[in-house]
Amino acid sequence: MNLSLRHMKAFTALAGLRSFTRAAEHCCLTQSAFSALISNLESDLGVKLFSRNTRNVDLTAEGEAFQNIVAHLLPETERALAEMQDHVERRKGRVALAALPSISSGILPGLIARFGAIYPGITVQVQDVASTVCIDMVRNRQVDFALCAAVSPSADLDIDVLARDSFYFICPANHPLATRRRLTVPDVITYPVIGFESNSSIRQHLDAAIYPRQWLRSHQVNSLSTAAGFIAAGLGVTIAPTLALFQFRLAGLKAVPLSLPINERDICLARRRDATDSLAAQAFIALLREHLQPSVQALAHTLD
């Protein structure tokens, strides 16, 4: 049978009010429509639920048994439908994403706060991992989507460019290049730089930008904050994208725009091609499309 919420509500109203007229009014139905609903329910069940005459409406024995069932089923059904409606209206939900560390600790927190102000009932979970790990997490269905550096085209992924950032030469304020307004590769290529691990999207972009030439490296570190500490201690210089510059806002450090042969780094949205975004994920992606690139540009302008 096809037991609907309307059937259960109509049955409950009639069982409580014991009047077709009052129960129909309670359900905002005409009496004929209400009677047809009850008849349909009884027909589907194959049993009479009510005994009625001109004066009384009473539950049959089977009606009393069904009343006990509906007393448990109706609240749970209403709760489940209300829960689903909360998701539809984006009052509840969950967004799980992977993102580059430079995004996760820089621009992303502000965007999550903005999203939370609009959708306070939706939780956002972030995994801050390298670009290759971002892609693996998308493929393994561990996250809804990822914010990563540009990746090679793939049959199983949809990749959309959401933003682009450029690069800066980071050095102590007393460095010979610190007072320049803009630098090029010939200006910096002779200075050993503090580099990043091989799976870092920053390193991969920098290596590709000057290939087949190579950067001189003084040290190799895993994190941007470590690189900042090394520079502050006078241990060298580095090159970092716009999204990472907040890590280098230490006293005595200077960021100078650097023009590279491959000058911009794509920040991409990666999703499984065979997946359907949840409504919560759709809302967060819409916010990213609207605000990510302007946030990158605003960050760059603060350094001009």
Side-chain angles (χ1 to χ4, degrees), residues 133-148:
V133 181
C134 284
I135 295 300
D136 288 341
M137 295 188 77
V138 171
R139 285 195 166 115
N140 295 333
R141 301 178 184 274
Q142 294 172 270
V143 294
D144 299 313
F145 58 87
L147 293 172
C148 57

PDB file of all heavy atoms in Angstrom, residues 133-148:
ATOM      1  N   VAL A 133      47.316  15.473  -2.599  1.00  0.00           N
ATOM      2  CA  VAL A 133      46.456  14.822  -1.603  1.00  0.00           C
ATOM      3  C   VAL A 133      45.025  15.322  -1.747  1.00  0.00           C
ATOM      4  O   VAL A 133      44.067  14.567  -1.575  1.00  0.00           O
ATOM      5  CB  VAL A 133      46.988  15.056  -0.184  1.00  0.00           C
ATOM      6  CG1 VAL A 133      46.110  14.355   0.852  1.00  0.00           C
ATOM      7  CG2 VAL A 133      48.430  14.575  -0.060  1.00  0.00           C
ATOM      8  N   CYS A 134      44.867  16.602  -2.069  1.00  0.00           N
ATOM      9  CA  CYS A 134      43.523  17.152  -2.332  1.00  0.00           C
ATOM     10  C   CYS A 134      42.795  16.310  -3.379  1.00  0.00           C
ATOM     11  O   CYS A 134      41.634  15.922  -3.202  1.00  0.00           O
ATOM     12  CB  CYS A 134      43.625  18.597  -2.835  1.00  0.00           C
ATOM     13  SG  CYS A 134      43.991  19.838  -1.588  1.00  0.00           S
ATOM     14  N   ILE A 135      43.498  16.046  -4.477  1.00  0.00           N
ATOM     15  CA  ILE A 135      42.897  15.288  -5.571  1.00  0.00           C
ATOM     16  C   ILE A 135      42.577  13.867  -5.138  1.00  0.00           C
ATOM     17  O   ILE A 135      41.507  13.329  -5.465  1.00  0.00           O
ATOM     18  CB  ILE A 135      43.826  15.289  -6.795  1.00  0.00           C
ATOM     19  CG1 ILE A 135      43.979  16.718  -7.342  1.00  0.00           C
ATOM     20  CG2 ILE A 135      43.293  14.371  -7.887  1.00  0.00           C
ATOM     21  CD1 ILE A 135      42.683  17.363  -7.772  1.00  0.00           C
ATOM     22  N   ASP A 136      43.472  13.250  -4.391  1.00  0.00           N
ATOM     23  CA  ASP A 136      43.219  11.886  -3.906  1.00  0.00           C
ATOM     24  C   ASP A 136      41.981  11.848  -3.020  1.00  0.00           C
ATOM     25  O   ASP A 136      41.181  10.910  -3.105  1.00  0.00           O
ATOM     26  CB  ASP A 136      44.429  11.365  -3.126  1.00  0.00           C
ATOM     27  CG  ASP A 136      45.618  11.045  -4.020  1.00  0.00           C
ATOM     28  OD1 ASP A 136      45.404  10.882  -5.239  1.00  0.00           O
ATOM     29  OD2 ASP A 136      46.742  10.977  -3.502  1.00  0.00           O
ATOM     30  N   MET A 137      41.802  12.850  -2.183  1.00  0.00           N
ATOM     31  CA  MET A 137      40.656  12.873  -1.273  1.00  0.00           C
ATOM     32  C   MET A 137      39.351  13.051  -2.038  1.00  0.00           C
ATOM     33  O   MET A 137      38.315  12.499  -1.653  1.00  0.00           O
ATOM     34  CB  MET A 137      40.831  13.972  -0.224  1.00  0.00           C
ATOM     35  CG  MET A 137      41.997  13.741   0.717  1.00  0.00           C
ATOM     36  SD  MET A 137      42.071  14.913   2.095  1.00  0.00           S
ATOM     37  CE  MET A 137      40.776  14.229   3.147  1.00  0.00           C
ATOM     38  N   VAL A 138      39.390  13.812  -3.121  1.00  0.00           N
ATOM     39  CA  VAL A 138      38.199  13.950  -3.971  1.00  0.00           C
ATOM     40  C   VAL A 138      37.880  12.618  -4.626  1.00  0.00           C
ATOM     41  O   VAL A 138      36.727  12.161  -4.616  1.00  0.00           O
ATOM     42  CB  VAL A 138      38.412  15.043  -5.037  1.00  0.00           C
ATOM     43  CG1 VAL A 138      37.261  15.031  -6.045  1.00  0.00           C
ATOM     44  CG2 VAL A 138      38.513  16.415  -4.387  1.00  0.00           C
ATOM     45  N   ARG A 139      38.893  11.987  -5.190  1.00  0.00           N
ATOM     46  CA  ARG A 139      38.681  10.710  -5.873  1.00  0.00           C
ATOM     47  C   ARG A 139      38.185   9.626  -4.920  1.00  0.00           C
ATOM     48  O   ARG A 139      37.371   8.786  -5.298  1.00  0.00           O
ATOM     49  CB  ARG A 139      39.978  10.261  -6.539  1.00  0.00           C
ATOM     50  CG  ARG A 139      40.320  11.031  -7.808  1.00  0.00           C
ATOM     51  CD  ARG A 139      41.378  10.317  -8.612  1.00  0.00           C
ATOM     52  NE  ARG A 139      41.474  10.865  -9.955  1.00  0.00           N
ATOM     53  CZ  ARG A 139      42.545  11.497 -10.420  1.00  0.00           C
ATOM     54  NH1 ARG A 139      43.614  11.658  -9.664  1.00  0.00           N
ATOM     55  NH2 ARG A 139      42.537  11.962 -11.675  1.00  0.00           N
ATOM     56  N   ASN A 140      38.666   9.649  -3.682  1.00  0.00           N
ATOM     57  CA  ASN A 140      38.275   8.633  -2.692  1.00  0.00           C
ATOM     58  C   ASN A 140      36.991   8.987  -1.960  1.00  0.00           C
ATOM     59  O   ASN A 140      36.626   8.320  -0.996  1.00  0.00           O
ATOM     60  CB  ASN A 140      39.410   8.427  -1.687  1.00  0.00           C
ATOM     61  CG  ASN A 140      40.653   7.857  -2.322  1.00  0.00           C
ATOM     62  OD1 ASN A 140      40.576   7.173  -3.340  1.00  0.00           O
ATOM     63  ND2 ASN A 140      41.815   8.141  -1.745  1.00  0.00           N
ATOM     64  N   ARG A 141      36.329  10.054  -2.390  1.00  0.00           N
ATOM     65  CA  ARG A 141      35.052  10.488  -1.803  1.00  0.00           C
ATOM     66  C   ARG A 141      35.177  10.841  -0.318  1.00  0.00           C
ATOM     67  O   ARG A 141      34.220  10.725   0.455  1.00  0.00           O
ATOM     68  CB  ARG A 141      33.964   9.411  -2.001  1.00  0.00           C
ATOM     69  CG  ARG A 141      33.723   9.074  -3.461  1.00  0.00           C
ATOM     70  CD  ARG A 141      32.673   7.982  -3.644  1.00  0.00           C
ATOM     71  NE  ARG A 141      32.543   7.624  -5.044  1.00  0.00           N
ATOM     72  CZ  ARG A 141      31.766   8.238  -5.921  1.00  0.00           C
ATOM     73  NH1 ARG A 141      31.020   9.245  -5.523  1.00  0.00           N
ATOM     74  NH2 ARG A 141      31.714   7.846  -7.178  1.00  0.00           N
ATOM     75  N   GLN A 142      36.358  11.300   0.090  1.00  0.00           N
ATOM     76  CA  GLN A 142      36.563  11.732   1.465  1.00  0.00           C
ATOM     77  C   GLN A 142      36.105  13.164   1.670  1.00  0.00           C
ATOM     78  O   GLN A 142      35.869  13.581   2.803  1.00  0.00           O
ATOM     79  CB  GLN A 142      38.045  11.596   1.833  1.00  0.00           C
ATOM     80  CG  GLN A 142      38.558  10.168   1.858  1.00  0.00           C
ATOM     81  CD  GLN A 142      40.058  10.106   2.024  1.00  0.00           C
ATOM     82  OE1 GLN A 142      40.820  10.100   1.058  1.00  0.00           O
ATOM     83  NE2 GLN A 142      40.493  10.065   3.266  1.00  0.00           N
ATOM     84  N   VAL A 143      36.016  13.919   0.598  1.00  0.00           N
ATOM     85  CA  VAL A 143      35.553  15.308   0.652  1.00  0.00           C
ATOM     86  C   VAL A 143      34.604  15.563  -0.512  1.00  0.00           C
ATOM     87  O   VAL A 143      34.595  14.815  -1.498  1.00  0.00           O
ATOM     88  CB  VAL A 143      36.735  16.304   0.601  1.00  0.00           C
ATOM     89  CG1 VAL A 143      37.593  16.195   1.851  1.00  0.00           C
ATOM     90  CG2 VAL A 143      37.568  16.102  -0.658  1.00  0.00           C
ATOM     91  N   ASP A 144      33.821  16.618  -0.401  1.00  0.00           N
ATOM     92  CA  ASP A 144      32.894  16.990  -1.480  1.00  0.00           C
ATOM     93  C   ASP A 144      33.640  17.588  -2.674  1.00  0.00           C
ATOM     94  O   ASP A 144      33.267  17.351  -3.825  1.00  0.00           O
ATOM     95  CB  ASP A 144      31.868  18.008  -0.970  1.00  0.00           C
ATOM     96  CG  ASP A 144      31.016  17.451   0.160  1.00  0.00           C
ATOM     97  OD1 ASP A 144      30.530  16.320   0.018  1.00  0.00           O
ATOM     98  OD2 ASP A 144      30.848  18.142   1.184  1.00  0.00           O
ATOM     99  N   PHE A 145      34.669  18.370  -2.385  1.00  0.00           N
ATOM    100  CA  PHE A 145      35.437  19.017  -3.443  1.00  0.00           C
ATOM    101  C   PHE A 145      36.762  19.481  -2.852  1.00  0.00           C
ATOM    102  O   PHE A 145      36.999  19.382  -1.639  1.00  0.00           O
ATOM    103  CB  PHE A 145      34.672  20.196  -4.064  1.00  0.00           C
ATOM    104  CG  PHE A 145      34.282  21.264  -3.083  1.00  0.00           C
ATOM    105  CD1 PHE A 145      35.151  22.306  -2.775  1.00  0.00           C
ATOM    106  CD2 PHE A 145      33.048  21.243  -2.465  1.00  0.00           C
ATOM    107  CE1 PHE A 145      34.791  23.293  -1.868  1.00  0.00           C
ATOM    108  CE2 PHE A 145      32.674  22.223  -1.551  1.00  0.00           C
ATOM    109  CZ  PHE A 145      33.546  23.246  -1.256  1.00  0.00           C
ATOM    110  N   ALA A 146      37.628  19.989  -3.712  1.00  0.00           N
ATOM    111  CA  ALA A 146      38.927  20.468  -3.258  1.00  0.00           C
ATOM    112  C   ALA A 146      39.257  21.794  -3.913  1.00  0.00           C
ATOM    113  O   ALA A 146      38.828  22.088  -5.025  1.00  0.00           O
ATOM    114  CB  ALA A 146      40.018  19.441  -3.566  1.00  0.00           C
ATOM    115  N   LEU A 147      40.041  22.594  -3.196  1.00  0.00           N
ATOM    116  CA  LEU A 147      40.632  23.811  -3.734  1.00  0.00           C
ATOM    117  C   LEU A 147      42.122  23.548  -3.856  1.00  0.00           C
ATOM    118  O   LEU A 147      42.824  23.432  -2.849  1.00  0.00           O
ATOM    119  CB  LEU A 147      40.367  24.998  -2.796  1.00  0.00           C
ATOM    120  CG  LEU A 147      38.905  25.433  -2.672  1.00  0.00           C
ATOM    121  CD1 LEU A 147      38.762  26.483  -1.580  1.00  0.00           C
ATOM    122  CD2 LEU A 147      38.389  25.963  -3.995  1.00  0.00           C
ATOM    123  N   CYS A 148      42.599  23.439  -5.084  1.00  0.00           N
ATOM    124  CA  CYS A 148      43.964  22.980  -5.310  1.00  0.00           C
ATOM    125  C   CYS A 148      44.602  23.770  -6.438  1.00  0.00           C
ATOM    126  O   CYS A 148      43.952  24.602  -7.077  1.00  0.00           O
ATOM    127  CB  CYS A 148      43.973  21.483  -5.633  1.00  0.00           C
ATOM    128  SG  CYS A 148      42.963  21.054  -7.067  1.00  0.00           S
TER     129      CYS A 148
END
